[in-house]
Amino acid sequence: MKEILLCKYGEIVLKGANRRFFEDTLAKELRFRAAAFGSFNVRYAQSTVFIEPKDEYCDLDGMFEAARRLFGIAGVVRAAVAEKNMESILATAKSYLPQFLEGKKTFKVEGKRSDKAFPLSSPEISRETGGAVLSACPWLRVDVHNPDVTVRVEVRDTAAYVHAGQFKGAGGLPVGAGGKGLLLLSGGIDSPVAGWMMAKRGVKLEALYFESMPYTSEQAREKVLTLASLVARWSGSMQVNVISLTHIQEELVKHCDEEYFTLLLRRFMMRLANKTAALRGCEALITGESLGQVASQTMQALNVTGALAETVVFRPCIGMDKEEIVQIARMIDTFETSILPFEDCCTVFTPRHPKTRPVLSKVEEQEQRLNVDELVEEAFSTLESFYIRAKF
Ligand code: ATP
Ligand code: MG
């Protein structure tokens, strides 16, 4: 018996004239991921992607998990391929389905015939398959209203597909369909989640991490690279750029008032993010800021830092509670890494009483004590890049 994966489109089905573009973007990413798990035939028909192993060496389990992390796919299911006749469909149902129905109490069958030349109607397909399932799994009962599991039989153009239990896919839009964004990635909980959320909307990610050695450690950098690789399992391979803020922070401490340290530092981050985005062809900045979470994330502080942005700034966590952010961090597997206790450049030289309602003109006055352009150029020259290859 041959087993394949069926992936159902997410929001792509709502697209009109440019649907083809979204489908092509998805196809490209899917083929790329499939290559890591063996030799697959990937084809498209009726809002479904068919992923068919070409030989017995394919890792269908691995491909299944990778497909579940692919944005643009709303649901993934493993299915057995049957010939387009009831004899084959029933035999396949009996031999293939019991493994999915163990421990379940109730089921129903949904037959669907998209090939109208097939001699049985959809309700007839359902009834006959239901009988076959009951004979193979006598512990089951039929419950058409609230079944534990729904068995599906899809009679399509070239074959029939039998399966039980659809799994939720990642949803969203295919990565790359929404342009490329620069994720300001710290070692915290919020920024990996922010990157994931924008990747879900089709944004291809590139990351920027600011460090401050020796005040921040080699391990802090390793942690950020690990976070990037975890996000990359969903969003695809990404480049991580690293810039040193050490000299900027030392100058800030020497010349500026303590209550402004964090804000001034964040404005330097913005300037350097602008330059990195321009260099790398990113059309948006992405941060993990959440309104009111810390002093630098009040509305007034966000205005003071945001004033420098040269592209749109996406802050997908802005309206979320910490608990909601943590929930996503756990789901995408970044949480445990994020809580490892390494310092961030924002947590060295932190003011005891940071300004929570800063005024732009006062912040600019502070900056006049520094040679801003020179510091930015110098920091930018420290840029190093790492390519994080996604391990799907
Ligand atoms: P996170 O959990 O993402 O670290 P946070 O709650 O610690 O966020 P801040 O430290 O104020 O908040 O940072 C706000 C945002 O600024 C981060 O979400 C991230 O996008 C960016 N940022 C902070 N520190 C760095 C850094 N060292 N490198 C790159 N971006 C950073
Ligand atoms: Mg942080």
Side-chain angles (χ1 to χ4, degrees):
M1 188 195 343
K2 192 171 166 195
E3 195 179 26
I4 70 165
L5 300 181
L6 299 179
C7 304
K8 310 282 175 167
Y9 283 175
E11 222 178 290
I12 298 177
V13 294
L14 306 174
K15 298 288 169 197
N18 54 359
R19 172 166 166 166
R20 206 35 216 279
F21 163 71
F22 287 91
E23 287 183 321
D24 289 348
T25 311
L26 181 67
K28 209 170 121 209
E29 185 62 25
L30 192 55
R31 285 213 175 81
F32 182 71
R33 288 188 191 201
F37 298 97
S39 184
F40 290 91
N41 187 22
V42 179
R43 65 185 180 88
Y44 302 80
Q46 299 153 320
S47 299
T48 303
V49 191
F50 295 74
I51 307 177
E52 304 170 343
K54 283 189 190 160
D55 54 42
E56 71 270 33
Y57 306 110
C58 289
D59 173 6
L60 198 69
D61 294 337
M63 186 65 232
F64 175 71
E65 290 304 323
R68 289 187 65 192
R69 287 193 293 266
L70 183 67
F71 293 122
I73 299 288
V76 188
V77 71
R78 303 174 76 119
V81 185
E83 283 171 39
K84 278 173 68 173
N85 60 66
M86 275 326 280
E87 201 184 350
S88 172
I89 290 172
L90 299 182
T92 305
K94 281 185 186 173
S95 62
Y96 179 68
L97 293 176
Q99 56 178 324
F100 299 98
L101 301 174
E102 255 171 51
K104 305 280 195 260
K105 291 204 177 79
T106 57
F107 81 110
K108 73 170 176 180
V109 181
E110 275 182 8
K112 201 170 113 199
R113 167 185 76 149
S114 42
D115 172 5
K116 298 297 170 205
F118 193 73
L120 275 70
S121 68
S122 296
E124 286 166 341
I125 297 170
S126 305
R127 206 169 320 125
E128 292 211 10
T129 310
V133 170
L134 280 172
S135 73
C137 309
W139 62 87
L140 285 177
R141 270 189 307 111
V142 174
D143 179 348
V144 291
H145 300 297
N146 195 17
D148 292 342
V149 56
T150 300
V151 167
R152 291 193 168 82
V153 179
E154 306 183 31
V155 181
R156 291 183 176 246
D157 49 355
T158 60
Y161 304 92
V162 178
H163 53 87
Q166 171 144 334
F167 291 84
K168 208 168 171 314
L173 294 169
V175 163
K180 185 159 92 160
L182 183 65
L183 170 65
L184 277 70
L185 183 61
S186 66
I189 295 168
D190 309 331
S191 46
V193 169
W196 180 86
M197 288 174 79
M198 295 320 298
K200 184 175 182 184
R201 296 310 301 162
V203 176
K204 186 170 168 47
L205 298 180
E206 180 148 338
L208 173 58
Y209 166 59
F210 295 105
E211 63 182 8
S212 194
M213 298 226 202
Y215 310 106
T216 63
S217 62
E218 187 69 46
Q219 286 125 301
R221 180 199 279 199
E222 284 305 318
K223 174 182 170 179
V224 169
L225 294 178
T226 302
L227 287 171
S229 72
L230 290 170
V231 175
R233 286 165 69 87
W234 303 78
S235 65
S237 304
M238 73 170 93
Q239 180 157 318
V240 179
N241 305 286
V242 180
I243 290 179
S244 169
L245 294 179
T246 309
H247 190 217
I248 289 177
Q249 288 197 277
E250 287 169 346
E251 287 297 295
L252 285 178
V253 171
K254 248 187 253 166
H255 303 288
C256 303
D257 297 340
E258 183 185 301
E259 56 191 1
Y260 286 100
F261 285 174
T262 309
L263 267 177
L264 292 166
L265 185 66
R266 299 199 59 78
R267 278 170 61 87
F268 275 103
M269 286 187 181
M270 269 306 188
R271 294 180 178 98
L272 288 159
N274 286 334
K275 285 175 81 76
T276 310
L279 177 75
R280 300 290 309 161
C282 299
E283 296 175 289
L285 302 182
I286 302 164
T287 78
E289 287 157 320
S290 164
L291 191 66
Q293 196 185 81
V294 288
S296 58
Q297 295 174 27
T298 63
M299 196 180 287
Q300 295 77 13
L302 290 171
N303 271 322
V304 164
T305 47
L308 291 171
E310 288 168 3
T311 61
V312 63
V313 182
F314 292 137
R315 300 178 177 92
C317 301
I318 199 72
M320 293 167 75
D321 291 349
K322 195 73 187 185
E323 196 41 48
E324 293 168 320
I325 301 172
V326 165
Q327 210 176 346
I328 296 182
R330 286 189 194 280
M331 194 268 290
I332 65 173
D333 244 3
T334 53
F335 182 75
E336 296 299 329
T337 304
S338 287
I339 58 174
L340 294 174
F342 302 117
E343 59 301 295
D344 181 55
C345 64
C346 289
T347 56
V348 294
F349 307 118
T350 34
R352 279 156 295 181
H353 303 290
K355 275 261 178 256
T356 54
R357 293 170 147 266
V359 176
L360 185 59
S361 58
K362 291 274 189 314
V363 177
E364 287 170 341
E365 258 172 54
Q366 294 279 321
E367 285 173 345
Q368 275 158 21
R369 305 178 190 177
L370 304 164
N371 193 335
V372 171
D373 291 346
E374 210 171 88
L375 285 171
V376 168
E377 282 309 321
E378 189 211 291
F380 196 58
S381 74
T382 67
L383 190 143
E384 271 180 90
S385 297
F386 300 85
Y387 190 72
I388 301 295
R389 196 174 293 281
K391 293 191 200 76
F392 302 112

